[in-house]
């Protein structure tokens, strides 16, 4: 028995060598090269960009055992459809909105009809181009892979032919099993399925969202007008002497807010982003993935915790490579010296004994020593609630805050200016579940600092109409005396007081390009401009 086993072991190398020279081995190797090379080819070349209406849409095809179709309808989220059972997935997403086409659409209503008539042909042409390019990429990938592995033109041709048969079969199977009824049963991810405990049941969210489906063109118009307005706006002090900071706040878990942040960051070429908190809505672990978009920005992201952000949220932000989290500390970022402190409250947990407004101001007063006598001097203090920063009046030139539904600003007699930002997330998921007839707008500001003095020279207030509106407004404010003296208060600093909101007009229903009537421009006084806007 042992002798036969020993003979089998000695004969194994020879048997393996004969098998390698056999047809089964050669054919198996050719098929493996075809599958590997075809997969690499699809990964590298299985995508195209095609013009569809006023947008450039990226189509892609990739191997996937769970055949599906994915439509990226950012900023609203993502839709997945179980349209077929073939081993291929199809994806479509908007890569760019063309300004020339959108301008024509806004200026000439007939252009909308022409675009609607041509979209079907453009879509069909894009799908055909995608499939032809995907087949070519898979065949070339298989052939090149086999040629590298075997150095044999015959085997390379066999691998290429095998890849052609495989992808043609997969495409045929996808077409044969295509189910049009699957379009009526999509899977929502993103905004619509983000946090049902906040916006109510999933059924009510979809029901309410259906009220806006006829206004999707207006939503596209919002983004298009924002691009158009920012690209046409003259840039303030476009030289190396200016530091640009994008001030955002209260994203409240709304993916659309990230689109606004990215667009403004690129259009204004900002040097950093300052976020005054409430990036999430309930501070839960499930929401931590939302902050991953911070890492997609190519600039530092300075952040303080809001009353809807937990310490777990803060740790998730800290994990981003470009994030600078301030929690009762001073840091220098991009030449500007920041002080920041997180909000001591966590209001989603009703069981906590959260500080009152007066207690919040007292906590801020206890934090003032962190900036007194600091070298170099602190240029900007950041808080979520402006009441926590009231004691910093006369201690720093500028205080940034949030926790408001509408931005406002006030320059106090000490020389300190407070800029309180509205919601860059349009009040977040609540925008779909609110009772107001006017959706909360998306708001952000671009701040311009002198690189030498680190003083605020000017700022641009950007307002993008909320869900269902088609308005975009950018308003510039110039600081009359940027190098003014900052004088410590002789008595207890008064809390900055948000003004009463002024009534604003609304665009006519269905009128593309309509804008809201902005509040009256503030009049400059000896103590600075009167506050504008209103609190949230």
């Amino acid at each position: 028995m042992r002798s036969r086993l020993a003979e089998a072991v000695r004969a194994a190398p020879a048997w393996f060598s004969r098998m390698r020279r056999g047809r089964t081995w050669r054919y198996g190797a050719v098929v493996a090269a075809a599958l590997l090379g075809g997969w690499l080819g699809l990964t590298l070349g299985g995508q195209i960009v095609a013009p569809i209406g006023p947008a450039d849409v990226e189509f892609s095809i990739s191997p996937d055992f769970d055949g599906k179709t994915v439509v990226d309808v950012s900023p609203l989220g993502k839709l997945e459809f179980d349209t077929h059972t073939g081993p291929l997935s199809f994806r479509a997403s908007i890569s760019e909105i063309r300004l020339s086409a959108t301008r024509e659409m806004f200026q000439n209503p007939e252009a909308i009809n022409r675009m609607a008539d041509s979209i079907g042909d453009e879509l069909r042409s894009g799908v055909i181009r995608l499939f032809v390019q995907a087949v070519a990429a898979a065949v070339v990938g298989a052939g090149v892979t086999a040629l590298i592995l075997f150095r044999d033109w015959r085997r390379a041709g066999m691998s290429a032919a095998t890849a052609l048969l495989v992808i043609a079969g997969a495409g045929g199977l996808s077409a044969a099993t295509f189910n049009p009824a699957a379009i009526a049963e999509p899977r929502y991810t993103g905004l619509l399925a983000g946090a049902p405990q906040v916006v109510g049941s999933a059924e009510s969210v979809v029901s309410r969202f259906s009220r806006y489906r006829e206004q999707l063109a207006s939503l596209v118009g919002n983004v298009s007008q924002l691009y158009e307005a920012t690209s046409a706006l003259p840039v303030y002090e476009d030289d190396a002497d200016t530091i640009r900071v994008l001030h955002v706040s209260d994203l409240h878990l709304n993916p659309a807010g990230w689109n606004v942040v990215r667009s403004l960051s690129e259009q204004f070429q900002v040097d950093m982003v300052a976020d005054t908190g409430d990036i999430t809505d309930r501070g839960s672990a499930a929401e931590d993935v939302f902050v991953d978009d911070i890492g997609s920005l190519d600039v530092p992201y300075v952040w303080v915790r809001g009353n809807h952000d937990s310490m777990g949220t803060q740790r998730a932000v800290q994990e981003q490579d470009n994030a600078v989290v301030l929690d009762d500390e001073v840091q220098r970022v991009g030449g500007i010296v920041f002080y920041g402190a997180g909000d001591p409250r966590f209001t989603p947990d009703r069981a906590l004994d959260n500080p009152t407004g007066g207690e919040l101001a007292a906590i801020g007063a206890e934090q003032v020593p962190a900036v007194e006598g600091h070298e170099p001097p602190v240029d900007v203090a950041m808080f979520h609630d402006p009441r926590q920063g009231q004691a910093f009046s006369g201690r720093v030139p500028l205080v940034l805050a949030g926790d408001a539904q509408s931005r406002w600003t006030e320059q106090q007699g000490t020389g300190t200016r407070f800029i309180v930002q509205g919601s860059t997330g349009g009040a977040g998921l609540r925008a779909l579940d609110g009772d107001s007839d006017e959706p909360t707008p998306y708001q952000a500001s671009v701040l311009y600092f002198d690189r030498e003095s680190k003083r605020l020279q000017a700022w641009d207030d950007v307002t993008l109409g909320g869900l269902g509106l088609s308005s975009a407004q950018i308003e510039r404010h110039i600081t009359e005396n940027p190098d003014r003296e900052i004088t410590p208060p002789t008595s207890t600093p008064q809390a900055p007081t948000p003004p009463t909101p002024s009534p604003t007009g609304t665009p006519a229903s269905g009128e593309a390009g309509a804008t809201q009537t902005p509040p009256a421009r503030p009049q400059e006084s000896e103590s600075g401009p009167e506050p504008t806007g209103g609190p949230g």
Side-chain angles (χ1 to χ4, degrees), residues 431-442:
L432 285 178
D433 200 38
D435 296 328
S436 174
D437 293 332
E438 295 183 9
T440 302
Y442 300 85

Side-chain angles (χ1 to χ4, degrees), residues 48-59 72 74 92-103 105 115 118-119 122-123 129 220-221 223-224 227:
I48 66 165
V49 176
I52 307 294
D56 289 337
V57 180
E58 180 176 318
F59 295 97
D72 190 343
S74 179
S93 60
I94 296 177
S95 61
E96 184 177 357
I97 297 176
R98 285 175 276 110
L99 290 178
S100 58
T102 53
R103 289 194 186 103
M105 184 173 63
M115 287 183 184
S118 63
I119 281 179
E122 292 171 347
L123 182 60
R129 279 182 52 207
V220 174
V223 181
S224 301
Y227 284 161

Side-chain angles (χ1 to χ4, degrees), residues 329-348:
E329 59 186 315
V330 177
Q331 287 204 41
R332 186 168 186 166
V333 183
I336 297 178
V337 179
F338 288 90
Y339 169 82
D343 197 307
R345 303 167 298 173
F346 183 56
T347 54

Side-chain angles (χ1 to χ4, degrees), residues 62 67 127 185 195 284 326 370 392 425 493 523:
S62 60
V127 172
E185 298 178 329
S284 65
L326 301 177
F392 287 74
Q523 299 295 320

Side-chain angles (χ1 to χ4, degrees), residues 34-82:
L35 295 177
L36 174 62
W39 176 77
L40 291 174
L42 275 183
T43 302
L44 298 176
Q47 58 271 332
I48 66 165
V49 176
I52 307 294
D56 289 337
V57 180
E58 180 176 318
F59 295 97
S60 62
I61 183 172
S62 60
D64 193 333
F65 289 110
D66 298 324
K68 60 188 176 183
T69 299
V70 179
V71 180
D72 190 343
V73 289
S74 179
L76 299 178
K78 188 185 300 180
L79 302 175
E80 291 188 4
F81 305 91
D82 292 325

